[in-house]
Amino acid sequence: MNSIIERLRPATDAGTALCAAVDREGEFLARRAQEHDAHGTFAAASVERLKELGVLGACAPVADGGHGLYSLHDLTLLVSRIAAHDASLATAVSMHLALSWYYARTVHCAPADELPGLPEARWLAAMGRDGMVVASTVAEPGLPAWQVETEATADATGWRVTGRKAMVSLSPVATHLYTRMKVLTEDGPLLGSAMIPVDSPGVSVLDDWDGLGLRGSGSGRVVLDQVPLAADAIRVRGPWGARDTAAFEGRAASSAPLAGIYLGIAEGAAAAALRRYASVKNPSAGLQNLVAELRLSLAALRGTLHTALGELHTGLADRAPRSLAADEGSRLLEACVLASLVTEREAIAVVDRAMQICGGRSFTAGHELARMYRDVRAAGFMRPYAPPEEWVDFIARTATTPADRTANTPVET
């Protein structure tokens, strides 16, 4: 049974085993986290350790060497367990894990006769058998995901893709780039996606990430210069430049593991603060108040996220991607946005109070809370709707239904 008093617990055997494996490696991961944060280097050795534990193949079928994890709740908790030791590492692998869960959902919901030719089935198998590592290569500075400027142009053999991508976490060790692009056609631009092998001609991975926080996440840039793709390699998602309501549920599912990062940071910070508090023989009223407020924030975070994850899994697990009605997808994205914002705000509050409990030493370079203080601030740039006007508009707009607005229209007299 899950409790807001203790850490949330995985609900499946696969989730339980993977979370336990990560916890056993906590000392190694935390030690390397400090090193990578100090020097701004990618956490390559820690990613390799997670691969050895089977974390990157979590969602791959057991028959292909994976764990068959198909619980969005447990996947998010797995990310949180990693983040409690190293938020940079959790950020890097969360992108890969979110995509792998999306592929597993596609396979889970597909008719049996379609499975042999399903790309997602091949990708999952490769994650389990061959160590395939996928970096989400979507973001471009200042542009929403449906208005990316990376272009795919048709040629005699297929396509050529050219563009520049930013914030490509995990890219230094990725074998493949799951990329979104503007597909130029005779009928106008369309939004498309493709899986691009990193060793393709024209792909340049720039290990140039130098962030204020999450310094070990490898979130650098990727340059695509006339990268050749086969004619059938691009999957068209819809019109380019228009917000696609059919993608709402996919955005919600992919954002859930990101919330796990901030749950993990909060739990790591709380653990550090409570170790300090336990060493104080006669705590003052002020110190006791800080501990109580910290625990309230942690309880609010856990309870909200646990409820949202249950709602997301119920709404998505047995429904094929892009098959939900617009209002259903909007409702699930609303739940994700609300939970993400509560998680962000309460995690920041937990870290702030943890630093006050531990005192000035926590504000020095090399202290774990100083690292968490910077890492947790990245949450504001990783919401399902990141710009302030976007999430405010969305939450306000979904507060009432069209029927509510019609029923409450003032009657002219």
Side-chain angles (χ1 to χ4, degrees):
M1 178 179 178
N2 277 291
S3 168
I4 60 173
I5 297 173
E6 301 171 334
R7 297 176 90 180
L8 298 177
R9 299 170 187 161
T12 65
D13 291 343
T16 299
L18 287 166
C19 286
V22 168
D23 286 340
R24 287 194 295 270
E25 296 294 326
E27 184 178 347
F28 171 84
L29 299 178
R31 184 171 65 251
R32 296 309 298 263
Q34 289 296 96
E35 296 172 10
H36 293 298
D37 180 69
H39 301 290
T41 52
F42 175 60
S46 297
V47 172
E48 188 61 33
R49 184 64 60 91
L50 293 184
K51 286 179 69 175
E52 293 169 0
L53 297 176
V55 170
L56 271 66
C59 297
V62 174
D64 292 316
H67 289 264
L69 181 61
Y70 192 59
S71 164
L72 191 58
H73 175 273
D74 286 9
L75 193 71
T76 303
L77 291 193
L78 177 59
V79 172
S80 79
R81 298 299 179 90
I82 300 168
H85 309 297
D86 184 354
S88 289
L89 178 64
T91 299
V93 302
S94 71
M95 311 296 183
H96 169 93
L97 291 174
L99 285 168
S100 65
W101 190 84
Y102 186 86
Y103 304 152
R105 179 180 163 213
T106 302
V107 171
H108 175 81
C109 298
D113 59 343
E114 294 182 8
L115 289 177
L118 204 61
E120 288 84 354
R122 295 198 304 272
W123 298 336
L124 278 177
M127 288 176 182
R129 292 177 179 173
D130 306 321
M132 179 180 179
V133 178
V134 183
S136 177
T137 315
V138 173
E140 297 180 16
L143 296 174
W146 55 89
Q147 290 180 339
V148 294
E149 290 292 348
T150 294
E151 292 185 347
T153 306
D155 66 8
T157 60
W159 302 94
R160 296 279 172 170
V161 179
T162 297
R164 302 177 71 88
K165 297 293 186 176
M167 306 289 287
V168 187
S169 302
L170 195 61
S171 56
V173 295
T175 62
H176 291 75
L177 308 171
Y178 190 71
T179 308
R180 191 164 293 179
M181 64 205 69
K182 181 200 292 188
V183 184
L184 302 181
T185 73
E186 294 180 354
D187 298 323
L190 300 173
L191 187 66
S193 61
M195 187 71 80
I196 301 177
V198 168
D199 60 5
S200 299
V203 173
S204 298
V205 176
L206 308 180
D207 189 5
D208 59 355
W209 173 241
D210 188 22
L212 175 66
L214 303 178
R215 289 173 58 75
S217 62
S219 302
R221 293 174 295 159
V222 169
V223 178
L224 306 171
D225 183 12
Q226 294 292 308
V227 178
L229 290 181
D232 61 351
I234 293 179
R235 179 174 296 178
V236 173
R237 317 293 297 185
W240 176 88
R243 193 192 306 262
D244 183 7
T245 56
F248 278 4
E249 47 88 3
R251 189 181 303 175
S254 64
S255 298
L258 293 178
I261 298 168
Y262 302 100
L263 169 63
I265 293 175
E267 292 186 329
L274 294 178
R275 286 194 298 270
R276 169 61 179 159
Y277 180 69
S279 70
V280 179
K281 292 184 177 180
N282 296 300
S284 66
L287 190 59
Q288 292 181 59
N289 182 69
L290 284 170
V291 170
E293 291 291 345
L294 180 152
R295 296 195 70 200
L296 281 173
S297 290
L298 196 55
L301 192 165
R302 285 170 172 158
T304 301
L305 187 56
H306 177 64
T307 299
L309 289 172
E311 186 172 352
L312 287 171
H313 190 82
T314 299
L316 297 173
D318 294 322
R319 308 281 293 280
R322 304 179 67 84
S323 68
L324 277 68
D327 60 337
E328 291 181 276
S330 179
R331 181 182 60 80
L332 291 174
L333 182 57
E334 180 184 9
C336 186
V337 171
L338 289 169
S340 296
L341 286 165
V342 171
T343 300
E344 172 189 338
R345 292 178 177 183
E346 299 302 341
I348 289 172
V350 168
V351 175
D352 284 347
R353 287 170 182 136
M355 293 184 76
Q356 293 177 60
I357 292 166
C358 291
R361 74 188 73 184
S362 66
F363 199 64
T364 58
H367 195 283
E368 60 183 330
L369 284 174
R371 170 169 51 86
M372 293 176 187
Y373 181 82
R374 287 179 285 106
D375 287 347
V376 78
R377 302 290 163 163
F381 306 101
M382 299 172 70
R383 303 170 187 147
Y385 277 101
E389 67 276 10
E390 287 281 349
W391 73 260
V392 168
D393 173 71
F394 180 75
I395 292 299
R397 184 159 30 88
T398 55
T400 57
T401 67
D404 293 332
R405 292 190 287 273
T406 301
N408 290 294
T409 300
V411 179
E412 295 184 5
T413 58

